[in-house]
Amino acid sequence: MKVLHLISGGETGGSRKHVITLLEQFSKEEVVLALMQEGPFAEEAREKGIRTEVFSQSSRYDLSILKKIVQFIKEENFDILHTHGPRANLFSIYLKKKTGIRWVTTVHSDPSLDFVKSGIKGKVFTSLSMYAVKKMDGYFAVSERFKQNLMKLGVSGNKIQTVYNGIHFTKEKAEPINRSEFVLKPEDFVMSMVARLHPIKGHTIVFEAMKQIEEEKRPHLLLVGDGPIKEELEKEAANRQLNSHVHFLGFRSDVDQIYAASDLALLASYSESFPLALLEAANQHVPIVTTDVGGVRELVQNEETGWIVPVGDASAYAKALRQAIHLRGEGRLAQMGEKLYFYSSQRYSLEQLEEATRSLYKRL
């Protein structure tokens, strides 16, 4: 069995880590990674020993690479095409038609929301994306809740394999970064949010929640990630007079160390499948505040290992943050992180990720 994984190659967040982590579980003879651009993604994959082929585009609308990928699929005799992300999905309508290859996808986000705030062009791409999603032979849903979402889109449940994100859980925590790097004191309450700077990730909800907390108790927020609305978010933080409490870190390769130096991990998305960032936080024994999206209820036990709040509800988010600050003052917040680590390390291993993935491949 030989599988070609196709993804755009510009990703910096959870989908990139998911793909690289997944492919590391297979032999070089079984999987090949195809990207549409050179960059950090390609470099990291090669460093991990993953065979990586780049079909460079002159722009994201350059379709000339499609014939090259078709030829590559035929020459290498791939059995399965496994796509990730809306661009790869759209292009694979053509690839499937020209090669007849069995086609599966991992849906990393809600396809109906991938192009929000993109105007008329976004509406066109959303329609095409929804069309592509219904043309595949198999699907990986990274939570039971997301499987139900796919079925509501008209996908047969028989075609969907639930496969939870997995990471390598370590026995020891990472060495924390020095808080002084961000001019933070040991007594400061520090929260980390690892997410693309994109409207779907709900950063402004966190800003609103922070603003509701009195200044002397206001926590510090480390934002890890980059994206199209960076300048907009910087202005939002400034308008709310949160400049001294919101720290834009950009893309970082030391996420484990950042979580290890944090009191709390945050997710505020309007839509998710099963966020890999939360597993990374759990591995560092850090409790979580998250919106009620995707499969988070399968990971977080409300008020036991973290807090689950309604989507878009800044007041509920602020209430959860106050409770977390209070518990740290009592010395009880760290216990929630320990419970989260024990629970997640038993259920979200790389072994289950590989086994579930192979299961669908073999069925096809």
Side-chain angles (χ1 to χ4, degrees), residues 41-305:
F41 195 157
E43 292 172 8
E44 182 180 355
R46 291 184 182 119
E47 288 173 3
K48 299 289 187 180
I50 298 166
R51 181 184 169 191
T52 303
E53 303 288 339
V54 175
F55 298 86
S56 296
Q57 292 181 283
S58 58
S59 75
R60 65 176 55 224
Y61 307 111
D62 177 12
L63 303 181
S64 66
I65 66 168
L66 293 179
K67 290 184 179 179
K68 297 177 183 177
I69 300 175
V70 166
Q71 184 179 357
F72 183 64
I73 290 172
K74 291 179 178 179
E75 289 177 351
E76 296 270 343
N77 294 314
F78 286 103
D79 301 295
I80 293 173
L81 174 65
H82 188 156
T83 57
H84 306 262
R87 198 191 323 176
N89 290 343
L90 290 175
F91 285 6
S92 294
I93 297 173
Y94 178 86
L95 301 178
K96 168 76 171 178
K97 182 178 180 180
K98 291 297 182 179
T99 66
I101 193 170
R102 294 173 180 84
W103 176 19
V104 300
T105 189
T106 298
V107 185
H108 296 275
S109 58
D110 186 337
S112 67
L113 298 174
D114 281 332
F115 300 100
V116 294
K117 288 194 173 183
S118 297
I120 295 175
K121 180 177 67 176
K123 292 181 180 179
V124 172
F125 284 144
T126 295
S127 297
L128 290 172
S129 183
M130 297 297 286
Y131 174 79
V133 163
K134 296 177 182 179
K135 291 295 181 180
M136 299 162 189
D137 299 302
Y139 306 79
F140 291 105
V142 293
S143 71
E144 281 298 322
R145 182 171 179 174
F146 216 69
K147 178 177 179 178
Q148 297 302 316
N149 289 346
L150 285 172
M151 292 173 67
K152 288 177 183 177
L153 293 176
V155 176
S156 169
N158 294 330
K159 291 185 175 183
I160 306 170
Q161 171 79 50
T162 301
V163 49
Y164 295 105
N165 267 332
I167 65 169
H168 173 62
F169 283 89
T170 56
K171 292 183 179 180
E172 303 294 333
K173 293 175 63 175
E175 183 69 26
I177 58 168
N178 194 328
R179 286 188 172 195
S180 62
E181 178 181 342
F182 311 108
V183 198
L184 299 175
K185 301 183 289 294
E187 62 270 22
D188 288 332
F189 191 96
V190 177
M191 312 180 299
S192 289
M193 184 173 178
V194 179
R196 282 183 304 134
L197 305 186
H198 185 280
I200 203 71
K201 298 299 182 179
H203 293 84
T204 55
I205 296 299
V206 179
F207 293 173
E208 291 176 29
M210 291 174 65
K211 190 65 177 176
Q212 292 180 32
I213 297 173
E214 46 272 30
E215 191 168 356
E216 61 272 15
K217 293 183 179 179
R218 187 169 294 155
H220 285 263
L221 175 62
L222 305 181
L223 290 182
V224 179
D226 209 341
I229 62 168
K230 180 180 180 181
E231 291 185 8
E232 179 182 328
L233 290 176
E234 288 174 337
K235 291 177 182 177
E236 290 281 357
N239 291 339
R240 290 177 169 83
Q241 298 180 317
L242 294 172
N243 306 63
S244 60
H245 286 77
V246 177
H247 310 268
F248 290 84
L249 277 57
F251 173 75
R252 301 279 295 222
S253 59
D254 56 349
V255 169
D256 287 346
Q257 289 84 357
I258 291 171
Y259 274 136
S262 305
D263 299 292
L264 200 63
L266 306 185
L267 185 95
S269 300
Y270 289 92
S271 175
E272 286 284 355
S273 47
F274 192 93
L276 198 61
L278 297 190
L279 289 183
E280 293 174 329
N283 188 39
Q284 299 305 320
H285 307 227
V286 181
I288 294 164
V289 175
T290 176
T291 44
D292 191 4
V293 291
V296 298
R297 286 189 176 273
E298 295 166 55
L299 172 66
V300 179
Q301 297 162 291
N302 196 36
E303 298 191 16
E304 291 290 330
T305 57

Side-chain angles (χ1 to χ4, degrees), residues 298-299 301 339-348:
E298 295 166 55
L299 172 66
Q301 297 162 291
K339 288 182 182 179
L340 178 62
Y341 171 81
F342 179 79
Y343 178 84
S344 58
S345 62
Q346 303 299 309
R347 290 165 174 78
Y348 302 104

